[in-house]
Structure formats: structure tokens, C-alpha cells
Amino acid sequence: MSHNTQAINKTRQNLSEFEEIWLFGYGSLIYKVDFPILDQSQAYIQGWTRRFWQGSHDHRGTPEKPGRVLTLINAPDEICHGMAYRVSHEVFDHLDHREKNGYLRFETDLVFNSKKTIKGLVYIAPEDNDAFLGPASEQQIAQHIFNSKGPSGENKEYVLKLAKALRQLNLVDSHVFAIETWLNQFETETQNN
Ligand code: SIN
């Protein structure tokens, strides 16, 4: 699958049929809300876990030197906590452009803290997209992130801002926090050299 998913996403769901839509955010959509929202609430989705396995050509890296950003990987026993936003269908022109590097919109059940469950959408970069980088150790991922930057800024900023936002929401993600710890270690080593 091509890494540019903007056109494909337009054909996936007919969003104009919906007056309002809940969108689940688990990565940069948690800490960078650059679109109008009608409401927001913490929520989780079942059977998925965050991994920095997606290449970023357009935000945190370049086509020649992609950075690493999050996608969700199937994990039947896991829960991914994040933020759900109620939005109007018009914001998807912007979101499809922002998430165009490999992410497809999927329909999913969002579970709110109240246990109320509602159908929503989530952007996931599947393993067969051309920008997918796949697994590496958390140390290797952190090293890669430490050395990457793109039009949206340094790749490490993505991790550090997300880790801070997760803590503010009282959420824990061992993968994100482990990579944050490595990044802080590399930063200290660089300053001491
Ligand atoms: C998300 O945040 O939900 C999608 C991935 C990203 O934009 O970082």
C-alpha cells in the first residue's frame, strides 16, 4: 500500500452522512489538537497497543531520513488509553492531510470511563504501508528518534510531549515511557561530551 493514504481515506467511510463523529487519538492527536472540537473525553480501545514502528516522511523526518512515530499494533489482551474528540465531518479534510503518511481511518468501539461504548474512528498505519518501519529494540528506536527531525520539528519532541500529556491524564504506557527515558539519557550524554 502506498504511504500516501489521503485519497484512500476519502473512500473508506462516507463521513458526510454523520452529523458528528468521535475520533480516538493515541499519539500526536493527544497533545496537538489543531482542529475544532465539539467535546472531548478520555476513552480506550481494546485489542491495540502503541508502538513507534511507523516511519514519518512528512512531520518528524523526511523521505530520505524518515523519523519514527506511533501506530497501533494488534494486541488482543491489551487496552490503549487515549483521548476521544467529538468533531464534525468537515475536520477530516485537515486530518486526512495531517495523517496522510500511511494512516488509514478505521471504525472502532471507543469505551469511555463511564463504560459507555460508542462507534468512532481511529487512524492506524497498517503494517503493509510503504512507510512502515517495524520493530526494533526500545533503545534502537530512541536512538533513531534522537537523530531525526522533519518539518514539524525534532522527532524527540513527539515522544516528550506525548509522555508529558499521558502523565497529565494519569495514563501509563511502558513503551512510550521507556523511549522517553532513553532519550533523556542520550540528551544527558550529549551535554556531558
Ligand atoms: C493519533 O495520534 O491518534 C494518530 C497518530 C499520530 O498522529 O501521532
Side-chain angles (χ1 to χ4, degrees), residues 87-148:
V87 292
S88 77
H89 66 87
E90 282 106 0
V91 302
F92 284 90
D93 278 343
H94 166 68
L95 289 169
D96 287 347
H97 180 261
R98 170 172 162 174
E99 303 296 323
K100 68 184 183 311
N101 204 57
Y103 294 86
L104 292 177
R105 292 190 221 128
F106 288 89
E107 280 182 57
T108 188
D109 280 341
L110 310 188
V111 187
F112 295 105
N113 287 350
S114 62
K115 298 293 172 213
K116 185 180 164 197
T117 303
I118 198 165
K119 279 257 175 280
L121 292 177
V122 58
Y123 285 95
I124 297 175
E127 296 185 17
D128 65 352
N129 85 84
D130 288 349
F132 191 77
L133 294 174
S137 72
E138 283 164 345
Q139 183 178 4
Q140 285 167 331
I141 289 175
Q143 191 72 67
H144 183 156
I145 289 172
F146 192 70
N147 293 321
S148 300

Side-chain angles (χ1 to χ4, degrees), residues 15-84:
L15 299 181
S16 58
E17 283 175 4
F18 299 87
E19 211 153 276
E20 56 181 52
I21 299 152
W22 281 93
L23 168 72
F24 180 77
Y26 57 89
S28 69
L29 289 174
I30 292 185
Y31 67 79
K32 186 178 176 192
V33 185
D34 59 353
F35 48 93
I37 60 169
L38 305 168
D39 197 0
Q40 75 180 79
S41 179
Q42 278 195 51
Y44 64 82
I45 60 174
Q46 264 161 330
W48 298 97
T49 192
R50 291 179 180 84
R51 288 291 178 268
F52 279 94
W53 290 3
Q54 175 63 8
S56 176
H57 296 179
D58 54 348
H59 287 299
R60 301 293 178 171
T62 61
E64 298 72 38
K65 243 182 139 250
R68 271 189 183 260
V69 288
L70 281 175
T71 186
L72 293 179
I73 301 296
N74 258 307
D77 299 331
E78 304 263 348
I79 280 177
C80 178
H81 291 269
M83 188 60 81

